[in-house]
Amino acid sequence: MAKKQFTVVISGDSGYSTYRVKAHDWKEADFIADGMHRRLNPDENPSEIGTAAVIKGWPEVW
């Protein structure tokens, strides 16, 4: 099964961040983006990090 493109919006202490990932489904996309956000923002409180949206495709998000 081919991977699809997803845009994941993560809400954290510093505001919203978007990540473009390739995954098999939205759950995997959410997992990948969450890991990316935690690696890029190690000082953020883990309880403040959450998924705001998972969007199929790579649209412009602002």
Side-chain angles (χ1 to χ4, degrees), residues 27-42:
K27 290 179 185 179
E28 183 183 17
D30 181 25
F31 180 79
I32 292 168
D34 184 76
M36 291 170 66
H37 185 80
R38 290 174 191 269
R39 281 191 299 279
L40 293 171
N41 302 285

Side-chain angles (χ1 to χ4, degrees), residues 2 6-7 15 17 19-21 25 32 35 37-38 41 43 59 62:
F6 293 92
T7 300
S17 302
Y19 299 93
R20 291 179 171 179
V21 299
D25 59 18
I32 292 168
H37 185 80
R38 290 174 191 269
N41 302 285
D43 296 333
W62 40 271

